[in-house]
């Protein structure tokens, strides 16, 4: 499978992955041949890239249907989960937390970071989508930092609920178009405290989960809010969540507005190492997440075009690139590969 921007999709290309609606229903099914009407419609609803079947990429697996199902289920339940927690309805909270834990447990048990982070969605509910992305990333990062299984549940649950305090901020401020006044900004900056107050009322929610919520805007150098904590006075839960919150926000803003530049979001995290973010956590981040998703279509600095087919662990921007040889009919000569680990003079210049 290869990942193509809608502008590069041609009629008769075959869809490699289901495309889902806001409610988690299948909008277009894997295997369907795309015609001009489908392509036009997908562009209209804001899908900027799709996976395309291609037998030259049979070995590139980017599928995890069970995970997609669990994420959709969580997505569908998010408003109810938020309501249950805000209303402090004890039985419902237990059920709600169970839905979240099922997703987290699945990631911990079977998730492959390469297959989990990049699905194509048409969800317009950015808030919930962002919460789920932050949860998935935090869980992977926690896993690589050797959090134990109960800590991973606490971290993942906190990450998904990290902005629950925004329910206490007036709608007019949250959705205000244009610049916020100082007074409005001061109110927004209280959402970690509001979140903590909401969760503290619930005995089923652990202290570590609450820390994720109350500390996700703290910064390692003390320049965050609401408490201005710094260094290790921010819990490891808060330090992980803040990196993932920023990355998930920046990466998805890019991908939904226009052509995504995954390296921009990544570089923001690397640039914040030791100042905004704990450098040890940024190092773990580099070992956990790769810059370019599997199947991405890239241009190299030597002007050769290819697709990311495998990652090199610990070298997030130096994957293995498969270059297609369109002229060849011989199966064995249909492509060749460039491993960027061994070709240090070549870099990825752009995603196309
Ligand atoms: Fe927040």
């Amino acid at each position: 499978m290869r990942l193509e921007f809608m502008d590069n999709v041609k009629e008769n290309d075959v869809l490699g992955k289901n495309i889902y609606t806001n409610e988690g229903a299948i909008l277009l099914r894997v295997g369907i041949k795309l015609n001009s009407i489908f392509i036009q419609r997908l562009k209209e609803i804001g899908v900027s890239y799709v996976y395309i079947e291609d037998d030259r990429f049979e070995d590139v697996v980017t599928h995890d249907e069970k995970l997609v199902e669990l994420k959709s289920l969580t997505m569908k339940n998010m408003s109810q989960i938020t309501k249950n927690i805000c209303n402090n309805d004890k039985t419902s909270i237990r059920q709600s937390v169970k839905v979240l834990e099922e997703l987290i447990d699945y990631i911990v048990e079977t998730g492959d970071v390469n297959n989990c982070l990049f699905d194509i969605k048409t969800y317009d509910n950015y808030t919930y989508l962002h919460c789920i992305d932050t949860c998935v990333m935090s869980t992977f990062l926690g896993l690589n930092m050797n959090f134990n299984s109960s800590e991973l549940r606490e971290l993942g649950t906190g990450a998904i609920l990290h902005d629950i305090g925004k329910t206490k901020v007036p709608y007019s401020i949250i959705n205000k178009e244009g610049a916020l006044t100082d007074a409005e900004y001061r109110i927004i900056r209280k959402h970690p405290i509001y979140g903590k107050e909401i969760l503290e009322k619930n005995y089923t929610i652990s202290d570590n989960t609450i820390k994720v919520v109350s500390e996700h805007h703290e910064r390692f150098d003390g320049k965050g809010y609401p408490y201005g904590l710094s260094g290790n006075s921010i819990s490891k839960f808060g330090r992980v969540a803040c990196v993932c919150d920023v990355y998930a926000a920046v990466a998805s803003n890019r991908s939904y507005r226009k052509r995504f530049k995954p390296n921009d979001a990544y570089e923001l995290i690397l640039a914040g190492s030791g100042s905004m973010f704990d450098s040890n956590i940024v190092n773990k981040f580099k070992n956990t997440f790769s810059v370019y998703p599997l199947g991405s279509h890239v241009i190299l600095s030597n002007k050769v075009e290819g697709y990311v087919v495998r990652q090199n662990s610990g070298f997030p921007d130096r994957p293995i690139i498969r270059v297609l040889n369109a002229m060849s009919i011989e199966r064995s000569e249909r492509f060749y590969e460039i491993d960027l680990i061994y070709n240090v003079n070549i870099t990825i210049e752009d995603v196309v």
Side-chain angles (χ1 to χ4, degrees):
M1 229 178 295
R2 56 188 160 85
L3 186 60
E4 294 287 2
F5 279 103
M6 285 311 298
D7 290 347
N8 298 337
V9 174
K10 297 181 186 65
E11 282 198 54
N12 294 325
D13 275 350
V14 175
L15 195 63
K17 235 176 166 181
N18 290 334
I19 297 179
Y20 292 86
T21 65
N22 206 7
E23 287 78 36
I26 294 174
L27 179 72
L28 276 183
R29 200 173 281 280
V30 57
I32 204 163
K33 244 187 208 171
L34 295 171
N35 58 28
S36 57
I37 299 166
F38 285 145
I39 294 172
Q40 188 53 35
R41 184 77 191 110
L42 287 173
K43 283 183 187 170
E44 279 167 14
I45 61 171
V47 174
S48 43
Y49 43 83
V50 288
Y51 281 101
I52 299 295
E53 289 281 15
D54 189 323
D55 61 2
R56 294 165 297 188
F57 296 91
E58 270 170 348
D59 55 324
V60 183
V61 180
T62 55
H63 254 100
D64 192 336
E65 278 305 314
K66 173 75 179 164
L67 183 82
V68 173
E69 220 176 86
L70 284 170
K71 281 163 93 172
S72 295
L73 183 71
T74 311
M75 185 81 183
K76 270 189 264 184
N77 281 294
M78 273 306 283
S79 75
Q80 194 55 45
I81 291 170
T82 310
K83 239 181 253 163
N84 290 341
I85 291 175
C86 290
N87 294 340
N88 202 9
D89 172 347
K90 294 204 169 45
T91 330
S92 314
I93 288 169
R94 251 190 296 277
Q95 281 162 359
S96 299
V97 171
K98 235 185 202 156
V99 173
L100 303 183
E101 287 180 346
E102 211 181 316
L103 171 68
I104 297 158
D105 288 351
Y106 181 78
I107 296 167
V108 172
E109 280 162 29
T110 53
D112 172 347
V113 68
N114 276 309
N115 298 348
C116 291
L117 285 178
F118 205 70
D119 8 295
I120 290 152
K121 307 163 204 102
T122 57
Y123 299 135
D124 53 21
N125 194 326
Y126 169 74
T127 307
Y128 292 157
L129 181 63
H130 169 71
C131 294
I132 293 172
D133 285 345
T134 309
C135 165
V136 174
M137 291 195 78
S138 298
T139 308
F140 273 116
L141 191 48
L143 202 55
N144 251 359
M145 290 177 63
N146 299 322
F147 280 40
N148 66 35
S149 56
S150 67
E151 287 177 327
L152 288 168
R153 279 181 165 196
E154 293 173 320
L155 172 67
T157 306
I160 224 164
L161 301 174
H162 70 274
D163 272 339
I164 196 165
K166 285 192 178 166
T167 56
K168 294 272 186 235
V169 177
Y171 188 79
S172 56
I173 299 181
I174 295 278
N175 288 291
K176 185 176 173 184
E177 284 181 22
L180 295 172
T181 64
D182 285 351
E184 288 166 336
Y185 198 54
R186 270 198 298 279
I187 296 174
I188 286 252
R189 283 162 68 111
K190 282 192 178 153
H191 77 270
I193 297 176
Y194 296 149
K196 180 174 186 263
E197 287 168 359
I198 293 168
L199 298 186
E200 269 174 348
K201 291 186 197 138
N202 298 289
Y203 298 116
T204 33
I205 309 272
S206 80
D207 284 351
N208 289 332
T209 296
I210 296 173
K211 279 183 186 154
V212 176
V213 176
S214 65
E215 296 175 352
H216 74 275
H217 283 290
E218 299 295 343
R219 295 294 178 252
F220 203 65
D221 56 10
K223 293 183 179 162
Y225 63 87
Y227 307 108
L229 299 175
S230 63
N232 289 346
S233 58
I234 310 167
S235 71
K236 63 179 184 179
F237 294 86
R239 278 178 280 143
V240 167
C242 83
V243 175
C244 298
D245 180 28
V246 170
Y247 184 83
V250 176
S252 99
N253 280 350
R254 295 286 151 95
S255 62
Y256 284 87
R257 282 190 195 137
K258 49 183 178 183
R259 285 183 165 201
F260 77 121
K261 298 278 182 201
N263 41 332
D264 289 350
Y266 213 96
E267 257 153 40
L268 185 76
I269 300 298
L270 300 192
S273 179
S275 52
M276 283 168 80
F277 312 119
D278 179 347
S279 56
N280 292 324
I281 293 182
V282 173
N283 285 338
K284 290 285 181 193
F285 185 91
K286 275 168 73 177
N287 281 309
T288 309
F289 306 112
S290 39
V291 180
Y292 303 95
L294 288 183
S296 302
H297 187 172
V298 295
I299 296 187
L300 304 177
S301 52
N302 58 2
K303 303 304 165 206
V304 168
E305 271 186 45
Y307 296 84
V308 175
V309 288
R310 289 185 302 285
Q311 308 287 1
N312 278 309
S313 165
F315 298 90
D317 59 348
R318 307 202 68 80
I320 294 137
I321 309 296
R322 186 168 295 173
V323 182
L324 303 181
N325 192 353
M327 304 307 284
S328 176
I329 38 170
E330 278 294 320
R331 196 172 174 85
S332 59
E333 291 169 9
R334 291 165 80 201
F335 57 78
Y336 67 96
E337 291 182 356
I338 302 173
D339 188 340
L340 294 184
I341 279 278
Y342 301 112
N343 292 274
V344 286
N345 52 334
I346 304 176
T347 54
I348 293 178
E349 220 167 60
D350 207 355
V351 181
V352 287

